Each structure stands twice: as structure tokens, then as C-alpha cells.
Amino acid sequence: MKLNYQIAIERLDADSADKKVLELLSAIKGFQISELTGLSAKQLLVIADKLEISEASMRMALSRQTKQGKLIRDNGKYALAKGKNPFVLPRFWLDIKPRSIKWNGQWLLVNQLQHKFTPTIMRRLHSKAELLGFKFFQNLGWVRPNNLSDLAEETVYHFHSIIAEPKLLIGNLTDIDPETANLFKHSWPTNELNQFYVDANELIANECNSMESQSDQDILVRSFALGRLVVEYLSKDPWLPRELIDLPARNRLFDKTVEYYHKITPLWLNVMNQP
């Protein structure tokens, strides 16, 4: 994936106010402040002004997504709607690294048995599977390395949010022949992923180093435009084990992104707390 500020700002301009609202409310989780669980309309309008999002489009987005059930409004603050289960979409990128465990060579399989699903249901299942880092193999099902704690539970939750539980078989594949194991291992675009880790780390490092020469307005716009894309890809990263991926490069990107979040947090909190 090519990533630079020009691409990021073009994406920011093209995306809807609805998407920006969801991303803003998702981003505050990254500040890791327990009392900051939602934003008021006033706070969102202040941020929208800084990001050059019109007041009308922001108010319409809040109203529309509340009616659609994507947002909840409680005590005058908007927050992302969520169920009782711990797994939300998109996967929160800060939660993934602590869940990484040593891979013992087992592969998690999701098989639909003999059930036939409509094209719409299959599209939804493929979408969930892609988010969770699975690859689909004809006559077998969805497969990925079982290298995250609670991965089976997370998978059950997401797949069964679309179809009833008895229609899927979820379990581990072991004692796989070398040819099949090799096929599995080469099913992810690891070269592209590794290059993204390197390029995105360089981009975020440059942003960290140039913050002192940027105005507050520039930092707000740049951090939102760039951060939303990097976090989007981190959220969708298959989080492959070190046997398949350049783990040090991914860790460097993760750590640099966390460092960047810490640096921009005071400025964002200042904007949110403006009278």
C-alpha cells in the first residue's frame, strides 16, 4: 500500500462525514483515558471545525447514525454502539499486540459443512473472515494461523453474528502435510505487508520528528488524515506469527504509532475541552 500525506488528505476529503464521525469516536479509545468514553455534539462540532467539516454535515451524520443504531447518546454524549461481547468491529488495534501468543503450528479452520448460503450471506462471511485474517480455500473453508489468544471465541462471535451456530464447524487443523502447510503459508501478501510496516513506520516517524515545526491546526489535520489510514490497516492486519511475517518491522510500526498517539493526545484533548 502506498501511503503519504497527499494520499491521506485526498482520502480524508473524499470520505463522508458519517465515516469521519465513526473514526473520531473510535480514535478516542486510543487515548486510553477511562473517563473519555464519548464526545458531546459541541465537542464534535469544535473538532469538525478544525478539520473543515461543515456543521450541517456533522449534525446530519450524528442524527442519521443514531437513528441507524450505530451511535448511542447518553448524558449528552455520543459513543459507538456496542454489544455485551468484547469483540467489536473494526478490531481495535491496541488490543491485538497483547493477544499475540507463540504459534505452535496449528491452523484455525472455519468450515460451513454441507450448508449452502445465499450470495449475500457468503459476502458477509467473507468480509468477517478477511477482517479476522482468514483466507478461504475451496472445499475446505477459512483458515489462518491460530496465534492469538481468544481467537476461536472472537471467530465464533463474528461468524455467528451472521448465521446460526450449528451451521459452522470451528476447530484446529493439526498434522498437516508439508505441501498443504506451504500453500497456507504463502496465501497472504507478506511482501506487501512487510513493505507497509517499513513505509508506514518511516512516515509516522517523520511526523513525530516534524511536530515542533507544525502549527496546532496542521498537527490536528495531519494526525487525523494519516492516523486514520495507518490505524485502518493495523486494524485489518492479519497479525501473522513471526514464522510468516517480519515481526520486528511490525512491532516497530506499532510502537512508533503508539508514541505518535501519546504526542498528539494533549493537543486533541485541549481541542475537546474548549469552552
Side-chain angles (χ1 to χ4, degrees):
M1 178 198 72
K2 293 182 178 180
L3 181 63
N4 56 48
Y5 180 67
Q6 187 59 38
I7 291 174
I9 204 68
E10 288 174 359
R11 283 275 302 272
L12 180 63
D13 291 339
D15 284 337
S16 66
D18 285 38
K19 184 174 182 180
K20 292 168 187 173
V21 166
L22 294 176
E23 290 176 340
L24 283 169
L25 290 171
S26 178
I28 64 174
K29 289 182 64 179
F31 297 145
Q32 297 180 296
I33 300 174
S34 57
E35 61 270 21
L36 188 61
T37 57
L39 296 174
S40 67
K42 184 177 181 179
Q43 289 174 308
L44 285 163
L45 289 173
V46 170
I47 297 172
D49 180 63
K50 299 293 184 181
L51 299 176
E52 299 182 350
I53 304 171
S54 73
E55 178 178 343
S57 62
M58 174 61 76
R59 289 190 182 278
M60 288 180 63
L62 291 173
S63 175
R64 180 166 48 243
Q65 292 183 93
T66 302
K67 291 178 181 178
Q68 293 174 351
K70 296 179 181 179
L71 301 181
I72 56 174
R73 189 168 184 265
D74 185 32
N75 293 323
K77 291 195 172 184
Y78 292 90
L80 297 176
K82 58 183 179 181
K84 296 180 180 179
N85 291 282
F87 307 112
V88 296
L89 293 178
R91 302 169 95 192
F92 188 48
W93 62 282
L94 281 174
D95 294 339
I96 299 295
K97 186 177 181 181
R99 292 177 54 198
S100 183
I101 58 178
K102 185 177 180 180
W103 187 43
N104 61 7
Q106 292 187 349
W107 301 83
L108 191 65
L109 168 70
V110 180
N111 184 281
Q112 65 189 75
L113 302 173
Q114 301 302 313
H115 298 288
K116 302 294 183 182
F117 301 121
T118 66
T120 298
I121 293 298
M122 285 302 298
R123 283 195 299 271
R124 292 175 182 173
L125 290 173
H126 281 304
S127 179
K128 295 282 188 180
E130 181 181 3
L131 179 75
L132 295 168
F134 283 89
K135 288 295 181 181
F136 184 76
F137 297 89
Q138 199 69 35
N139 300 321
L140 180 60
W142 294 275
V143 176
R144 66 150 292 143
N146 194 356
N147 67 310
L148 293 173
S149 63
D150 301 322
L151 179 60
E153 291 84 353
E154 182 184 23
T155 301
V156 167
Y157 169 67
H158 283 309
F159 275 78
H160 292 165
S161 68
I162 299 175
I163 58 172
E165 183 171 343
K167 295 182 179 179
L168 290 176
L169 171 67
I170 299 177
N172 281 319
L173 289 176
T174 58
D175 299 325
I176 303 173
D177 66 87
E179 183 177 352
T180 301
N182 190 57
L183 173 64
F184 287 169
K185 291 178 181 179
H186 289 86
S187 297
W188 286 266
T190 51
N191 289 338
E192 294 178 19
L193 289 169
N194 289 336
Q195 190 61 52
F196 165 71
Y197 301 147
V198 173
D199 293 344
N201 180 68
E202 181 180 355
L203 180 64
I204 296 300
N206 289 337
E207 288 299 308
C208 285
N209 295 333
S210 62
M211 281 181 60
E212 290 186 2
S213 63
Q214 297 173 6
S215 68
D216 288 353
Q217 177 76 16
D218 285 341
I219 294 173
L220 287 169
V221 174
R222 293 181 70 92
S223 63
F224 187 58
L226 290 169
R228 64 199 288 266
L229 290 190
V230 173
V231 167
E232 176 185 333
Y233 277 82
L234 284 174
S235 300
K236 295 179 179 178
D237 189 274
W239 211 263
L240 301 173
R242 66 167 59 247
E243 290 83 357
L244 305 184
I245 206 75
D246 187 346
L247 181 62
R250 187 178 66 198
N251 285 342
R252 285 192 295 270
L253 169 59
F254 185 95
D255 294 341
K256 183 58 66 175
T257 304
V258 172
E259 177 189 340
Y260 186 48
Y261 255 70
H262 289 323
K263 285 192 171 186
I264 65 175
T265 294
L267 180 58
W268 277 93
L269 292 179
N270 182 58
V271 171
M272 293 177 193
N273 293 327
Q274 286 185 12

